[in-house]
Amino acid sequence: MKTPLAWLQLTHEKMRLLIALAGIGFADMLMFIQLGFQNALFDSSVILHQAFNGDIFLMSPQSDALGFTRTFSDRRLYESLAVDGVESASSVYLNFGNWKNPVERNTRNLLVIGFNPANNILDLPGLAENLDQIKLQDVVLFDEQSRPEFGPIPELLQQDRPAVTEVSSRRVRARGLFSLGASFAADGNIITSDINFLRIFPDRERGLVDIGVIKLESGANLDIVLAQLRQKLPKDVEVFSKEEFIQHEINYWQNSTAIGFVFTLGTAIGFIVGTVIVYQILYTDVTDHLSEYATLKAMGYRDSYFVMVVFQEAVILALLGFIPGLAIAQGLYFLAAQATNLPILMTLNRAVLVLILTIIMCCVSGAIAVRKLSAADPADIF
Amino acid sequence: MNKYNNNSLIPNNQQQLTQPQKLIVEINNLDHFFGQGQLRKQILFDINLQLQAGEVVILRGPSGSGKTTLLTLIGGLRSPQSGSLKVLGQELVGAKKSILVEIRKNIGYIFQAHNLLESLTARQNVQMSLELHEGLSSQEIKAKTTAILEEVGLGDHIDYHPHNLSGGQKQRVAIARALVSHPKMVLADEPTAALDSKSGRGVVELMQQLAKEQGCTILIVTHDNRILDVADRIIELEDGRIKVDSNSN
């Protein structure tokens, strides 16, 4: 086995290696955080979409994202029932309401979701067993994963104390919990019946809904029904499959807001910071060993050997620096998830993505540092 | 420029006197220039020189006389420009860089500064030289390395890093590195300059002894008058010309 020069050169100066690994770890952590928040943003904004128990969705073509929707007439839903293969069509009302914290009395906006409880169209933990409650007047279900600023509703309910408060100046009572989670659009959520929804928001008109949820009969062909609905329904509604419905939301956040750009920029900055740090380390390494490399050249080592050494060092740095970066990012994900109630989790895909980015980052630095090697002229060392 | 040079005839005379031997280095009418255009300066003038196998040759002369330039040309570290320079039968004037790199593998170098790799142990430094040559198993490499380090008296310092060795010990590792692959020729530039007289003497005698055992040619550039007696032949350069070329013993 050949002497592993790259490894020995790197590990010889322990302090420099530690600083290099700290730098790469930091760059990796930066990339992880940016990508993590970006994904959390996308994941959190489509939890509700994924929970909808439907195959086809209707929205106004002017709707951007949940919480920023325009209404359309529920007549389109009745029309859709005429299409072969459609089993049921339900309407969903959405609006931001001003929730008063029942303990501290300050108010804050959360998303109010209203639909007919006769037909459960949302697949959320805790919802099915509490659904009957909202058939009562002015009763709502509270999202237990809402941010704590909305008040200790789960604790109040657990102690059987009344959780009476106001939403947009209407007195309501929280009688049950479900689990959805905060998103970038909404810090908290409540669910109530369509009738209670219209009581809370008297200026909303009955029959003008935000989302239509269509369920297909078993055995119906999704593509055929989609095509038929698109053909049959007027252009004042847009027809989505569930996948398109989710993608529409992600596209909004990614392309129509600064958020996607900001996170991509943040990731790019992490990448550049890492590149500069690794370049600095590799450049110093080559410079410090210039006379040693010139000696090896005098002995008959080819230029390609030194290029290999520099790239080996780059890859070793990438792999070693990735480990602390991953560990720190895991810890920060945990803290961020605690603090924001956003679903920030390490995924294998993202770990692999950042590892690949790290290796590219180190190789780019290596490619720049390699140019310094030509300064190692064996004729100069005599 | 005076083309007629008495001194250049001496090696030829010598060759006629001694028995015909294999030539390691054969230099004819070698000129060398540094710089371009107006700043172009001639460093070596019409060098004619032949080195036989097994010779120990000392190259001396004042600073700036072109000793080191000549050494780097012979070692394939610099591209020769005009005349003829044959090393181990290979013409280096006009040769491609890859040929120079190949030639270097047959030459051992010992530098003024030992130039050991700081991050490698004595053993690993010596191994770097052997790893250039194909077809050696790792056991062979290990055995040869251990053997040569024992020969230079560092048998119990095999796994030391250079910063834990004295100046003389480092130079011994450098000698071991230069000689372990049995080169046809060793080039040494001021090998004793950084050493006290006792270790300097020891280092040169070691080089001479090992080279005689292996039958390799040694060319030493030095200012150190105390080691002149190890040479079979002394060449003096002055202002880029060979001034004296004589058998010393």
Side-chain angles (χ1 to χ4, degrees):
Chain A
M1 202 190 85
K2 302 263 180 193
T3 305
L5 185 62
W7 171 256
L8 293 169
Q9 297 280 50
L10 276 181
T11 49
H12 184 62
E13 299 228 21
K14 301 268 188 309
M15 207 56 215
R16 183 189 292 170
L17 180 65
L18 272 182
I19 293 167
L21 295 189
I24 297 164
F26 177 78
D28 279 357
M29 181 202 78
L30 215 55
M31 291 195 276
F32 269 125
I33 291 297
Q34 300 294 332
L35 292 171
F37 272 103
Q38 187 173 25
N39 254 48
L41 160 80
F42 295 150
D43 287 350
S44 73
S45 51
V46 298
I47 293 176
L48 187 58
H49 297 64
Q50 273 161 343
F52 275 121
N53 203 348
D55 305 299
I56 295 177
F57 296 83
L58 302 184
M59 262 203 308
S60 159
Q62 295 180 328
S63 290
D64 289 326
L66 292 200
F68 308 101
T69 41
R70 295 293 190 90
T71 57
F72 64 94
S73 166
D74 64 354
R75 270 179 294 172
R76 302 289 169 250
L77 288 168
Y78 294 116
E79 286 169 43
S80 69
L81 285 172
V83 172
D84 274 347
V86 172
E87 186 186 278
S88 68
S90 321
S91 51
V92 179
Y93 293 89
L94 296 173
N95 219 16
F96 280 105
N98 214 339
W99 171 273
K100 178 173 276 182
N101 181 328
V103 177
E104 290 172 14
R105 301 276 154 203
N106 52 343
T107 61
R108 202 180 164 94
N109 277 352
L110 47 54
L111 186 67
V112 184
I113 306 162
F115 60 89
N116 185 348
N119 219 343
N120 188 7
I121 48 161
L122 272 174
D123 221 352
L124 290 173
L127 185 60
E129 48 269 41
N130 287 316
L131 201 58
D132 281 342
Q133 309 258 24
I134 58 172
K135 289 174 178 166
L136 300 174
Q137 186 175 340
D138 292 328
V139 168
V140 301
L141 302 178
F142 184 81
D143 176 7
E144 61 184 352
Q145 289 189 62
S146 300
R147 286 187 58 85
E149 286 84 347
F150 293 104
I153 312 299
E155 288 79 3
L156 288 176
L157 288 176
Q158 227 167 29
Q159 297 160 12
D160 278 330
R161 283 163 58 193
V164 178
T165 183
E166 287 172 10
V167 176
S168 295
S169 305
R170 180 155 185 117
R171 201 175 154 80
V172 298
R173 172 189 280 263
R175 291 279 291 266
L177 298 172
F178 66 98
S179 184
L180 172 58
S183 72
F184 275 67
D187 288 340
N189 306 282
I190 56 174
I191 291 179
T192 189
S193 69
D194 46 353
I195 299 167
N196 283 332
F197 181 92
L198 294 167
R199 287 183 179 124
I200 294 169
F201 303 107
D203 53 338
R204 285 291 299 264
E205 206 176 313
R206 166 175 292 272
L208 285 181
V209 302
D210 294 280
I211 300 174
V213 182
I214 294 172
K215 231 188 260 188
L216 298 190
E217 289 165 352
S218 59
N221 185 309
L222 177 68
D223 292 329
I224 294 173
V225 180
L226 267 175
Q228 282 180 341
L229 281 172
R230 282 183 179 133
Q231 196 193 355
K232 186 177 161 78
L233 297 178
K235 294 291 164 221
D236 60 353
V237 284
E238 212 171 334
V239 183
F240 298 95
S241 69
K242 187 165 187 178
E243 224 169 281
E244 292 163 350
F245 184 52
I246 290 169
Q247 201 53 46
H248 181 261
E249 181 84 14
I250 291 178
N251 285 350
Y252 170 77
W253 291 107
Q254 186 146 37
N255 303 327
S256 309
T257 67
I259 297 167
F261 175 78
V262 165
F263 285 117
T264 309
L265 184 69
T267 310
I269 288 175
F271 183 86
I272 292 167
V273 166
T275 307
V276 171
I277 292 172
V278 179
Y279 168 71
Q280 197 61 42
I281 297 292
L282 290 178
Y283 180 88
T284 319
D285 194 73
V286 172
T287 312
D288 284 4
H289 297 121
L290 222 45
S291 69
E292 295 180 358
Y293 291 162
T295 308
L296 292 179
K297 278 190 186 179
M299 283 160 58
Y301 277 90
R302 293 165 189 284
D303 292 354
S304 56
Y305 176 80
F306 304 99
V307 174
M308 280 302 295
V309 167
V310 170
F311 277 100
Q312 280 170 7
E313 289 187 5
V315 172
I316 291 169
L317 284 174
L319 295 179
L320 288 184
F322 177 75
I323 296 165
L326 181 71
I328 296 169
Q330 283 274 29
L332 287 175
Y333 279 178
F334 179 73
L335 290 179
Q338 297 269 304
T340 61
N341 286 356
L342 285 171
I344 307 180
L345 284 171
M346 183 64 73
T347 61
L348 183 64
N349 276 351
R350 193 178 315 135
V352 170
L353 173 69
V354 171
L355 180 59
I356 291 171
L357 281 175
T358 313
I359 292 172
I360 294 173
M361 172 177 102
C362 291
C363 286
V364 167
S365 313
I368 309 172
V370 151
R371 297 187 308 174
K372 183 69 186 169
L373 279 175
S374 59
D377 182 359
D380 289 343
I381 50 172
F382 269 111
Chain B
M1 197 198 308
N2 180 14
K3 276 282 177 196
Y4 180 76
N5 192 332
N6 261 334
N7 302 324
S8 62
L9 297 173
I10 293 171
N12 293 333
N13 292 342
Q14 205 176 34
Q15 197 194 7
Q16 284 163 3
L17 293 173
T18 56
Q19 284 202 325
Q21 276 174 302
K22 204 180 149 201
L23 288 181
I24 297 294
V25 176
E26 191 177 3
I27 304 176
N28 289 307
N29 309 105
L30 181 75
D31 293 329
H32 198 77
F33 298 84
F34 278 169
Q36 298 285 329
Q38 295 251 306
L39 295 171
R40 192 168 142 101
K41 186 169 184 288
Q42 190 162 6
I43 303 297
L44 294 176
F45 296 85
D46 196 28
I47 302 291
N48 290 281
L49 181 65
Q50 288 168 334
L51 299 182
Q52 323 281 341
E55 267 189 313
V56 177
V57 180
I58 281 185
L59 182 61
R60 55 198 294 248
S63 306
S65 57
K67 310 186 292 289
T68 299
T69 307
L70 185 57
L71 198 71
T72 53
L73 284 170
I74 293 172
L77 304 181
R78 223 181 261 289
S79 293
Q81 294 159 344
S82 64
S84 166
L85 167 57
K86 281 189 188 163
V87 176
L88 306 172
Q90 169 69 51
E91 178 60 70
L92 297 187
V93 177
K96 279 188 287 204
K97 200 187 165 200
S98 57
I99 290 177
L100 295 185
V101 174
E102 276 308 306
I103 280 292
R104 291 174 196 169
K105 291 187 187 176
N106 297 304
I107 299 173
Y109 296 91
I110 297 164
F111 307 94
Q112 176 175 348
H114 53 81
N115 280 325
L116 297 177
L117 274 68
E118 286 293 327
S119 60
L120 305 188
T121 61
R123 174 202 293 288
Q124 289 165 334
N125 265 291
V126 175
Q127 281 180 357
M128 288 300 286
S129 173
L130 280 179
E131 284 170 10
L132 268 173
H133 299 269
E134 305 284 317
L136 286 171
S137 72
S138 38
Q139 284 93 340
E140 283 175 287
I141 288 181
K142 197 170 173 184
K144 279 171 185 277
T145 307
T146 311
I148 193 105
L149 280 170
E150 276 165 2
E151 268 190 88
V152 299
L154 290 173
D156 46 355
H157 289 78
I158 284 179
D159 291 318
Y160 280 49
H161 278 89
H163 69 266
N164 292 325
L165 297 173
S166 72
Q169 286 171 328
K170 281 188 247 193
Q171 201 58 293
R172 282 162 190 270
V173 178
I175 291 170
R177 179 174 66 179
L179 288 167
V180 69
S181 48
H182 291 248
K184 302 279 190 318
M185 174 165 62
V186 170
L187 301 178
D189 187 40
E190 304 278 7
T192 59
L195 304 176
D196 60 71
S197 65
K198 186 158 166 282
S199 22
R201 182 82 211 167
V203 159
V204 173
E205 277 172 1
L206 183 65
M207 280 169 62
Q208 186 192 24
Q209 174 209 332
L210 291 175
K212 289 284 178 212
E213 283 169 13
Q214 299 184 2
C216 90
T217 306
I218 305 188
L219 180 60
I220 307 173
V221 164
T222 190
H223 280 109
D224 191 346
N225 291 328
R226 296 168 303 195
I227 62 170
L228 292 181
D229 60 297
V230 300
D232 299 326
R233 183 174 157 200
I234 294 174
I235 298 170
E236 268 192 68
L237 268 184
E238 198 174 296
D239 299 330
R241 292 183 170 83
I242 292 179
K243 196 178 150 205
V244 182
D245 185 345
S246 64
N247 283 314
S248 67
N249 302 342

